[in-house]
Amino acid sequence: MRKRFSRPVVKAIDEASILGVKAGAASDHRFVGVWPVVVDGRVYARSWTLRPDGWYHTFLADPRGIIQVGARQVRVRAVRARSERVRDKVEEAYAAKYDTRASQKYVRGFKTARRREATMEFIPR
């Protein structure tokens, strides 16, 4: 059974529009902001730029990292979401959570095949 975040942490992430993510345990990466969504009590994010030196590719090389939830830092492990059903639910969660006119460009962009492939789940460690 996979570890789960506590309900207060999941609630805080769900209410936050930006989540700080630091990828790789041994990397010199700084915290960057990502758009988190919660699906069935699990935390996901998608990479927008998919840069080779960005958070997504760093997590592929070393899945350990840290997320910032308010003032709290939580150690995590990042796992690629491979299920099409989960990816569909993540898209629905993005559309529901980021519903402003200014967000629509990004919500549509997160539906592209390459960004769907870059869906990460964060699991506490």
Side-chain angles (χ1 to χ4, degrees), residues 17-83:
S17 56
I18 300 288
L19 181 68
V21 173
K22 185 175 182 180
S27 78
D28 58 353
H29 267 238
R30 59 182 171 75
F31 281 98
V32 295
V34 301
W35 286 12
V37 291
V38 173
V39 174
D40 299 331
R42 295 161 68 171
V43 177
Y44 297 90
R46 285 189 178 162
S47 177
W48 181 258
T49 62
L50 294 167
R51 290 190 346 238
D53 62 343
W55 68 268
Y56 174 75
H57 285 99
T58 301
F59 271 132
L60 290 179
D62 179 359
R64 297 166 298 163
I66 301 170
I67 61 172
Q68 281 182 323
V69 183
R72 183 176 177 188
Q73 294 186 0
V74 180
R75 294 179 335 144
V76 296
R77 184 170 54 88
V79 178
R80 284 182 63 202
R82 297 179 190 272
S83 162

Side-chain angles (χ1 to χ4, degrees), residues 74-93:
V74 180
R75 294 179 335 144
V76 296
R77 184 170 54 88
V79 178
R80 284 182 63 202
R82 297 179 190 272
S83 162
E84 289 301 316
R85 185 180 59 79
V86 168
R87 290 177 183 173
D88 290 344
K89 285 185 169 188
V90 168
E91 278 177 19
E92 292 168 10

Side-chain angles (χ1 to χ4, degrees), residues 89-100:
K89 285 185 169 188
V90 168
E91 278 177 19
E92 292 168 10
Y94 272 118
K97 182 173 182 177
Y98 299 95
D99 60 353
T100 65

